[in-house]
Amino acid sequence: MRTADYIALEDRYGAKNYLPLDVVLTRGDGVWVYDVEGNKYLDCLSSYSAVNQGHCHPRILQALVDQAQKLTLTSRAFRNDRLGEFYKVLCETTGYEMTLPMNTGAEAVETAIKAARKWGYRVKQVEQDKAEIIVCEGNFHGRTTTIVGFSSEPQYREDFGPFTPGFVLIPYGDAAALEAAITPNTVAFLVEPIQGEGGVIVPPDGYLRAVRDICNRHNILFMADEIQTGLGRTGKLFACDHENVRPDVMIVGKALSGGFYPVSAVLSSREILGLFRPGDHGSTFGGNPLGAAVAATALSVLVDEGMIENAARLGQYFQERLAKIPSPYVKEVRGKGLLIGVELKPEAGGARRFCEALQTRGILAKETHTHIIRFAPPLVITRQEIDWALEHITAVLTA
Ligand SMILES: *Cc1c(COP(=O)(O)O)cnc(C)c1O
């Protein structure tokens, strides 16, 4: 089969809830992916930062294969011999006391919402069913009905209501707006330290410190969604580390499994996660031995192989070089580490055509929010590979 045949087959049976670039990939290795025609591309999306460790990392692959041959799923009705080790690696790497494993990012966000509400009722003594969680305009926390219910993006919500009450939207990056929105019923503030899907929006310096301080003063939980920004992407383990702040609740997913398998988790204190009792919450696949083995290895790989430092060093280099491209189309280059957004001027005619031009030159990047191209390659990228990419990006942005 050729590219057109694969596309026709997919479109014949599949719901069209995505508009992918018409490239049909069949193999991946590190920062490179290969299509069914034998073309090679530099992956500048990394599956929305799920493959920070690079495609098909050999150590993670080995952990997957070894575990798949032994035991894959027990459900949590029984214990398995991989879960404790995964918890230990995750908690020791991140410095949190406790964790609750799920599968997808959205499930982990839902879990964090439940934890915050339970903490609000049990500890803060908010009246039943009155808990409020403050969220930001431009947020992306996933696609469940509760989560899209507090999105500010009309398309994410349209035709999917009625929605879960109890969420309050405020502008992103505005600490004063957070303080003003707090009521006695506020239990938590849920925020991305950099808005990834929102267009790589970096809040003002000091924002996360101010948020930490406000949450302390008003006794509300600071919940960071680092599903995209976490695990090395921005050049630190967590994007919150750039301001040395520690959220009360940390949500991770995506690169937690190096792209092999859906694994997500909520990290927090004993005071908060210890509130869950048997039967309060669960997931058939959450915490399964295959996911646990994969995630424990994916985390070790990230740390052992210096990927976080590489993201810091080469991210800064990539961003500086992108900013120097003399393009008539570019409005701004921004980001942290290897999470970089290039915002185009409105008159550039949208980012899609630039992404299509990059595709013909062997670079896969995806537009976000019409005018922004995101460059987020796997964290194993080398300076030579970035230099190669810059030649082509320069050609496309100056054509
Ligand atoms: C991708 C993402 C999610 C949702 O994760 P899924 O695994 O797609 O459910 C949530 N929050 C952020 C910040 C994300 O980037």
Side-chain angles (χ1 to χ4, degrees):
M1 294 211 303
R2 306 278 314 255
T3 294
D5 305 314
Y6 288 100
I7 293 172
L9 185 61
E10 213 182 288
D11 286 354
R12 166 75 180 77
Y13 295 104
K16 288 172 191 58
N17 57 325
Y18 277 88
L19 180 63
L21 289 178
D22 281 339
V23 54
V24 179
L25 301 175
T26 184
R27 190 162 71 82
D29 179 13
V31 298
W32 301 99
V33 286
Y34 300 81
D35 72 11
V36 292
E37 313 283 341
N39 299 308
K40 176 180 173 181
Y41 304 88
L42 179 70
D43 182 359
C44 277
L45 181 65
S46 307
S47 309
Y48 301 94
S49 297
V51 286
N52 284 359
Q53 296 88 336
H55 289 275
C56 298
H57 190 287
R59 264 179 71 194
I60 312 173
L61 173 63
Q62 196 60 51
L64 177 96
V65 170
D66 289 348
Q67 189 58 42
Q69 287 172 335
K70 280 181 69 187
L71 183 67
T72 56
L73 184 61
T74 54
S75 84
R76 300 228 5 235
F78 312 120
R79 294 181 189 263
N80 72 70
D81 63 356
R82 302 314 301 258
L83 190 55
E85 174 205 343
F86 165 49
Y87 284 178
K88 183 165 188 279
V89 173
L90 183 55
C91 288
E92 286 182 353
T93 305
T94 60
Y96 282 93
E97 278 176 352
M98 259 195 178
T99 183
L100 196 164
M102 297 295 284
N103 312 286
T104 66
E107 287 175 300
V109 171
E110 291 272 357
T111 303
I113 290 168
K114 282 184 171 181
R117 286 179 168 180
K118 191 176 265 296
W119 174 86
Y121 299 127
R122 298 271 160 164
V123 178
K124 191 172 175 177
Q125 304 274 307
V126 170
E127 193 187 329
Q128 272 299 319
D129 294 337
K130 295 278 195 264
E132 290 167 9
I133 295 175
I134 301 173
V135 296
C136 288
E137 287 163 10
N139 73 68
F140 183 83
H141 298 290
R143 298 290 200 159
T144 66
T145 46
T146 287
I147 293 171
V148 298
F150 59 79
S151 171
S152 57
E153 183 64 35
Q155 200 199 346
Y156 295 173
R157 300 162 51 90
E158 193 181 289
D159 297 332
F160 298 134
F163 298 117
T164 312
F167 297 93
V168 178
L169 269 171
I170 60 167
Y172 183 63
D174 183 345
L178 171 61
E179 188 141 36
I182 293 171
T183 75
N185 292 331
T186 305
V187 296
F189 177 49
L190 172 63
V191 66
E192 299 153 87
I194 294 174
Q195 288 184 334
E197 294 319 291
V200 191
I201 309 294
V202 183
D205 280 344
Y207 176 62
L208 300 171
R209 286 219 136 273
V211 164
R212 178 66 280 177
D213 179 54
I214 291 166
C215 290
N216 286 350
R217 279 192 283 111
H218 294 271
N219 191 29
I220 68 175
L221 302 181
F222 176 2
M223 305 205 293
D225 178 348
E226 293 232 26
I227 292 168
Q228 186 161 155
T229 54
L231 306 180
R233 174 51 57 190
T234 70
K236 300 262 190 195
L237 181 65
F238 293 118
C240 285
D241 296 344
H242 289 283
E243 295 196 8
N244 287 313
V245 299
R246 173 147 294 253
D248 302 296
V249 177
M250 175 62 78
I251 309 165
V252 291
K254 293 203 166 114
L256 185 52
S257 65
F260 278 84
Y261 192 90
V263 183
S264 64
V266 175
L267 289 153
S268 187
S269 62
R270 200 163 298 282
E271 186 202 343
I272 295 163
L273 286 181
L275 293 170
F276 283 104
R277 296 156 310 175
D280 279 349
H281 188 52
S283 160
T284 303
F285 278 82
N288 72 73
L290 186 60
V294 164
T297 310
L299 264 178
S300 303
V301 159
L302 198 68
V303 175
D304 298 349
E305 300 188 11
M307 293 180 190
I308 305 173
E309 295 77 10
N310 197 56
R313 198 172 51 245
L314 292 184
Q316 187 181 353
Y317 174 71
F318 196 5
Q319 198 178 320
E320 282 169 7
R321 292 285 310 271
L322 283 169
K324 287 198 185 118
I325 295 174
S327 168
Y329 307 115
V330 174
K331 184 175 161 200
E332 188 186 33
V333 177
R334 56 176 181 254
K336 275 208 169 85
L338 282 169
L339 180 57
I340 302 171
V342 174
E343 179 164 354
L344 305 177
K345 295 174 184 166
E347 58 269 28
R352 178 88 183 186
R353 70 182 178 97
F354 294 92
C355 292
E356 285 166 356
L358 286 170
Q359 181 191 340
T360 65
R361 291 169 167 272
I363 295 174
L364 293 181
K366 184 80 168 72
E367 79 278 8
T368 166
H369 280 257
T370 316
H371 299 295
I372 299 150
I373 313 173
R374 175 171 30 196
F375 291 104
L379 310 186
V380 295
I381 196 165
T382 63
R383 186 178 295 258
Q384 289 75 10
E385 286 160 343
I386 289 177
D387 286 337
W388 174 86
L390 280 162
E391 267 178 50
H392 292 284
I393 296 167
T394 303
V396 164
L397 286 177
T398 54

